[in-house]
Amino acid sequence: MRLDKLLANMGLGSRKDVKKLLKKGGVAVNGETVSDGKSHVDPENEEVTVYGEQIEYKEFIYIMMNKPQGVLSATEDATDQTVIDLLEPEDMIYDPFPVGRLDKDTIGLMLLTNDGKLAHQLTSPKKKVTKLYVATIDQPLTDEKISQLESGVTLDDGYETKPATVEVIDGGDGVKIRLGITEGKFHQVKRMFEAVGRKVKFLKRETIGELRLDEELEPGTYRELTDEELMMLRGE
Ligand code: URA
């Protein structure tokens, strides 16, 4: 790729800033100063340094965030804070975007990446990737309602949901439910509970496929995926 593009992508400023940096002789490829931004480099195999500091090049970024309440799963918004606003500049430069949506008041696992292919694989209805949610609802479910949710319910717009898994996880009052779905319709979990006469008071996503939220992450914080997590997500 072009050297100036690589430097700009790695957050060393605009194309104009990068041109100045090159002109000043601050950039070297394999130890040789290079001042022509048009020259080509192979970032995987050649060593690029800026004032002697090696530039770590990577094409893709994969971030696990514990999305907090009150933040939108969007890339930008005129009024509300978005998950992208929570990123450090050094991560933002990769232009990641949220994979799928969580409502403003939902917390939990949010994946952010700039890898469009993986994002498509995880969100395509054909791939049937299971997502687990923990919902606190207003009243316990009867066995009949559990069976209805498991086999599929009719949403307010007439859509018939695909089979789901239901687990009552709070033995005491029966209002904490783990629901597993393979679809991602708008407000799906809330509307599924509404279809059986229940209201969701609190919602958290725990998993996307094999990827599980790291419970060490406080809401609003994030980290990059480990190689192992990435391989699991890719089904490798
Ligand atoms: N279903 C919902 O209703 N809300 C979410 O945020 C995610 C799934």
Side-chain angles (χ1 to χ4, degrees), residues 156-225:
D156 46 11
D157 58 359
Y159 179 78
E160 300 274 339
T161 62
K162 302 265 183 308
T165 58
V166 180
E167 186 194 342
V168 180
I169 49 176
D170 192 358
D173 48 13
V175 293
K176 211 168 169 188
I177 312 289
R178 181 172 286 120
L179 185 74
I181 57 172
T182 57
E183 310 167 274
K185 300 278 172 219
F186 188 58
H187 296 327
Q188 180 152 348
V189 173
K190 291 174 184 163
R191 289 162 71 212
M192 284 176 74
F193 280 108
E194 263 162 38
V196 294
R198 296 293 179 268
K199 201 170 166 11
V200 171
K201 312 272 242 185
F202 177 80
L203 189 60
K204 174 179 177 177
R205 181 158 65 190
E206 286 185 325
T207 67
I208 301 172
E210 297 293 309
L211 184 67
R212 174 167 288 278
L213 176 68
D214 179 346
E215 295 291 340
E216 305 266 293
L217 289 175
E218 295 292 329
T221 64
Y222 68 93
R223 65 162 169 81
E224 286 189 51
L225 295 192

Side-chain angles (χ1 to χ4, degrees), residues 83-123:
V83 285
I84 301 299
D85 296 328
L86 300 179
L87 300 179
E88 297 292 336
E90 70 249 37
D91 299 313
M92 247 186 232
I93 57 171
Y94 291 94
D95 271 339
F97 54 86
V99 177
R101 277 182 307 223
L102 287 181
D103 297 336
K104 189 173 169 183
D105 59 356
T106 302
I107 75 159
L109 180 59
M110 183 92 247
L111 179 68
L112 298 137
T113 185
N114 54 355
D115 182 344
K117 199 167 144 212
L118 181 70
H120 175 73
Q121 279 171 5
L122 294 172
T123 50

Side-chain angles (χ1 to χ4, degrees), residues 3-19:
L3 181 59
D4 52 4
K5 184 158 191 279
L6 174 115
L7 295 167
N9 286 357
M10 292 298 97
L12 286 148
S14 62
R15 285 274 179 117
K16 212 168 147 195
D17 299 329
V18 163
K19 210 170 171 181

Side-chain angles (χ1 to χ4, degrees), residues 50-92:
V50 174
Y51 293 119
E53 284 241 351
Q54 194 172 338
I55 298 290
E56 189 94 43
Y57 177 80
K58 61 181 174 200
E59 188 178 1
F60 296 122
I61 191 163
Y62 304 92
I63 289 170
M64 171 194 292
M65 177 183 284
N66 186 355
K67 180 193 158 308
Q69 282 191 327
V71 171
L72 298 183
S73 56
T75 47
E76 53 186 13
D77 191 79
T79 49
D80 283 306
Q81 201 178 26
T82 73
V83 285
I84 301 299
D85 296 328
L86 300 179
L87 300 179
E88 297 292 336
E90 70 249 37
D91 299 313
M92 247 186 232

